Amino acid sequence: MTRAKVLLIGLIVLALGGVGYLGFEALGVRGFSAGIAAQSLLVLIVVVWTGSYLFRVVTGQMTYMNQRRRYREVYDAKEREDLEARFDALPEEEQQALLQRLGLDGDDVRADS
């Protein structure tokens, strides 16, 4: 999140406090009671917002984590394709020698693909 967005969110929360105060006064709540009600509403909003953030952290549903997960899936698929292409480009004897060094036979490798 950029600094501009953080400042904008701060201004929105500040404006919500003022609108809440005016709203409670319009509903007939006067003076300190309207201020306390507006502050209580803002505290509730901040607690719910923070709780949703913590829930996303605990469940691993953060934007950065999702981006990393998607990137890793694409990277692994590309890397596998590249390795398979390099393996297929090897002569048959080198393929067999490599598979023997790895303790595999040709049928195991082709079955996994």
Side-chain angles (χ1 to χ4, degrees):
M1 186 178 300
T2 64
R3 286 183 215 163
K5 284 186 180 180
V6 170
L7 290 174
L8 182 62
I9 290 171
L11 288 173
I12 290 171
V13 170
L14 183 64
L16 280 174
V19 170
Y21 178 79
L22 294 175
F24 282 115
E25 275 196 338
L27 291 174
V29 181
R30 298 280 177 222
F32 288 118
S33 297
I36 291 172
Q39 287 177 355
S40 299
L41 183 62
L42 283 177
V43 167
L44 179 65
I45 289 170
V46 169
V47 167
V48 169
W49 183 23
T50 305
S52 72
Y53 176 77
L54 291 174
F55 177 76
R56 288 184 290 131
V57 168
V58 170
T59 60
Q61 297 301 315
M62 304 279 301
T63 303
Y64 174 71
M65 302 270 296
N66 288 335
Q67 287 174 338
R68 277 203 61 183
R69 200 172 292 123
R70 284 193 308 267
Y71 170 80
R72 189 64 193 194
E73 289 169 1
V74 170
Y75 177 81
D76 287 344
K78 177 74 171 123
E79 187 68 21
R80 181 177 177 95
E81 289 173 11
D82 290 346
L83 285 174
E84 286 176 359
R86 287 175 57 195
F87 180 79
D88 291 339
L90 291 174
E92 183 69 30
E93 308 82 45
E94 289 183 34
Q95 287 180 358
Q96 292 303 321
L98 180 60
L99 291 174
Q100 286 176 351
R101 279 187 25 210
L102 295 174
L104 303 170
D105 61 17
D107 295 333
D108 290 342
V109 173
R110 297 297 173 205
D112 290 340
S113 298

